[in-house]
Amino acid sequence: PDVLVKGGDWDISEIVGADFVKENGGEVFSVPLKDGVSSSLIIDLIVSGGNGEQAEAAAEQSAGSIKNALTAHIEVFNKLSADHTKSIEDCAEIIVGAFNAGKKILICGNGGSAADAQHIAAEFIGRYETERISLPAVALTTDTSALTALSNDYSFESVFSRQIEGLAQAGDVLIAISTSGNSPNVIKAIMAARKKGCKVIGLTSEKGRKMAALCDACVLVPGEKTSRIQEAHIAIAHIWCEIVDTEFTDV
C-alpha cells in the first residue's frame, strides 16, 4: 500500500509491514486514538447495514452478558471463601494422608467433570507448580476400551464402579465429581469405593447433599448454574494440588 495507518496505541516501530511500506515509497502513520471511534465500530456499522443504534444495542447486550457471567462467578467464589474453606481443607488432608501412606487417588465424573478428573490426575502424576515426586492418581474416565466395554456388557451406571472393583485397595481415595450430586454412575462408584475400604471425597453443588452424606468429606459449591459450579470445582482441585506440592516439595 501507499499508506499504512494504525491506531495510536501502536508505535510505528511495532507495526507489522511498516518497513516494507517505507522501502517501497509508502508512508506509515500512527493516528491518535479518539474515544468512541474505531475501525471495529466502522466494520460493525457496515455489517449492520448502517444501523448504528442496532449495533450499539448488540454491543451493550454482549457487554451485559459478559458482566453478568463474571459477577456470578465472583459471587460463587466469595461464598466459597466465606463458608467452605474448612471442607476444602478436610478434603486436602485426606488426599495428603493417602499419598503419605503410599496409597493412590482414583477420580471419576461425567462430561466436564470427566475432563476435570483427568486434569486433576495429570497434576498429581506430573506436578502442579513445584518440582516433586510423581504421585499415583488414575482418572477412571480416559480408557475408552474399558468405558465402552463396561457400558456395553454391564451398564453405563457401572463404568466407574467396575473399575474401582478391580483397581481400588483399602486406604485409597476416590474423588467423585458431580455437579448435580445425583449422577447414578458416580453414586455407584462411591458405594463401590466404600465397600473396598477407600476414603471418598466429593465435589458437587449445594443440591448434592445426598452425595455429600456418602462421602468422608465433600465440598458443596454454593451455586446452581453448571458452568459456575464446574469453574469452582477445578479451582478447588488446584488448591488441593498446591497443598500437595507444598507437602511433598522436599521428598
Side-chain angles (χ1 to χ4, degrees):
D2 294 322
V3 179
L4 176 58
V5 179
K6 289 286 283 185
D9 50 343
W10 289 85
D11 186 80
I12 290 178
S13 63
E14 300 172 332
I15 300 174
V16 176
D19 291 342
F20 176 80
V21 173
K22 287 181 177 180
E23 289 171 0
N24 288 275
E27 295 181 88
V28 180
F29 298 93
S30 182
V31 179
L33 298 178
K34 184 177 180 180
D35 290 342
V37 178
S38 74
S39 56
S40 298
L41 289 177
I42 294 172
I43 292 170
D44 288 341
L45 286 172
I46 294 172
V47 171
S48 65
N51 190 337
E53 292 182 0
Q54 182 179 350
E56 185 176 348
E60 289 179 357
Q61 182 178 5
S62 177
S65 297
I66 293 169
K67 186 174 181 179
N68 289 340
L70 292 173
T71 298
H73 174 93
I74 291 168
E75 287 176 354
V76 168
F77 277 72
N78 283 339
K79 291 177 183 177
L80 272 177
S81 179
D83 303 322
H84 297 271
T85 56
K86 180 62 168 59
S87 58
I88 296 172
E89 182 181 5
D90 289 344
C91 293
E93 288 179 357
I94 291 173
I95 294 169
V96 169
F99 284 144
N100 274 324
K103 303 299 182 180
K104 63 181 174 293
I105 308 295
L106 304 173
I107 316 165
C108 69
N110 297 291
S113 299
D116 287 344
Q118 65 191 71
H119 184 159
I120 298 166
E123 304 283 22
F124 288 145
I125 285 287
R127 65 165 184 252
Y128 180 57
E129 293 178 339
T130 305
E131 191 61 43
R132 54 157 171 76
I133 62 170
S134 179
L135 297 165
V138 180
L140 304 178
T141 57
T142 57
D143 186 337
T144 53
S145 293
L147 294 172
T148 53
L150 294 172
S151 296
N152 185 62
D153 297 344
Y154 296 91
S155 69
F156 189 66
E157 288 188 16
S158 301
V159 291
F160 301 136
S161 60
R162 184 66 175 177
Q163 292 184 74
I164 289 169
E165 289 173 18
L167 295 172
Q169 296 178 327
D172 289 344
V173 173
L174 172 67
I175 298 177
I177 311 173
S178 172
T179 54
S180 68
N182 297 314
S183 302
N185 56 4
V186 174
I187 298 297
K188 192 168 183 177
I190 292 172
M191 301 309 295
R194 299 194 68 86
K195 188 174 181 179
K196 295 284 289 189
C198 300
K199 293 279 190 178
V200 180
I201 290 171
L203 280 175
T204 186
S205 67
E206 58 190 3
K207 293 182 178 180
R209 297 191 179 278
K210 174 184 175 182
M211 174 176 157
L214 300 173
C215 299
D216 295 281
C218 187
V219 184
L220 293 85
V221 173
E224 295 184 0
K225 195 169 184 178
T226 297
S227 54
R228 304 290 86 87
I229 295 166
Q230 290 177 334
E231 289 158 8
H233 282 176
I234 199 60
I236 292 165
H238 278 164
I239 292 170
W240 294 341
C241 292
E242 187 172 344
I243 293 170
V244 166
D245 269 10
T246 300
E247 180 72 20
F248 291 92
T249 297
D250 299 326
V251 176

